[in-house]
Structure formats: structure tokens, C-alpha cells
Amino acid sequence: MVRDLRNVRILSGDDAPTPLTDEDYRTPFTPDEEHRFRVNLLQHIAQELAEKGWARFPAYSPEERIRLYALAPALGEHFGRPVTAEPEDITRVRFAFGDLPLRPGAVTDTPGV
């Protein structure tokens, strides 16, 4: 299918958009946004833990993994029993109840990474 382009113009050098930098991709959350995100994340993970006894969540960057590891103690307080967070691979973190047998490399607190 051929589409007709209307109202399209070539930008001059001065009007050209600037390329994105790493900072553009890392827009920091406000504290309220971060809090709302963590609450929703806790609810989602807690529901899966209650249903299955374990939960998985994707984490594609070190910051996301650290954020997920920090949720393990809060989940433990919610359930009244320890919850572990351990990496399954470089893209997923697995949560499980800590009184179950641990897999090698399990993390129960926020790592010092």
C-alpha cells in the first residue's frame, strides 16, 4: 500500500530534533509516582504469592532488580513470614516464601550492588 504524505516538510539544520541522550531515557519518578508504583507492584506480587506460593516479575536493568529486591522485606511484613527475592536470569526476579527451601543465590534483603 502506498500512502500519500501530506503536510510533511524537510527540516532545516536549525529545526532538526536533537538526538536522545541517556538522561532522556532515565526520567526520575517523583516520590509520589514511585510510591504509587511500589504499592501497585506489591499488590500484584502479593496476589501471585498468595495464589501460587511464588511469583516472577521482569527486571531488565540493575535499577529494576534493586527495586524488586527491596520489596522482599515489605512482602514479608505483609504475609508475616519471610519472603526471598532471587534472580532467575538476567531478566527476571523470583519471589518465594523464605521458610521454603532456598535456591542457591537467593537474596533476602536489598543487595549492596
Side-chain angles (χ1 to χ4, degrees):
M1 169 193 285
V2 177
R3 294 184 182 222
D4 188 21
L5 299 176
R6 295 187 179 126
N7 298 325
V8 176
R9 63 185 172 90
I10 297 175
L11 297 175
S12 67
D14 297 334
D15 294 336
T18 58
L20 292 175
T21 64
D22 287 340
E23 280 299 312
D24 294 328
Y25 289 108
R26 282 187 244 145
T27 56
F29 290 122
T30 65
D32 290 338
E33 291 170 333
E34 179 69 22
H35 177 72
R36 281 194 301 267
F37 177 76
R38 284 181 185 241
V39 166
N40 288 330
L41 196 57
L42 276 170
Q43 290 172 348
H44 175 75
I45 295 171
Q47 181 178 355
E48 277 194 51
L49 269 171
E51 291 172 1
K52 300 186 280 188
W54 59 273
R56 268 188 204 127
F57 205 81
Y60 299 106
S61 69
E63 293 85 12
E64 290 174 341
R65 286 188 287 279
I66 290 170
R67 179 187 283 161
L68 289 173
Y69 292 141
L71 294 180
L75 287 165
E77 288 178 21
H78 173 74
F79 286 107
R81 56 196 275 203
V83 173
T84 61
E86 58 184 82
E88 273 197 332
D89 56 28
I90 61 170
T91 62
R92 289 183 300 205
V93 173
R94 183 176 191 272
F95 293 89
F97 290 111
D99 48 4
L100 300 175
L102 293 178
R103 292 173 25 185
V107 179
T108 55
D109 292 324
T110 305
V113 177

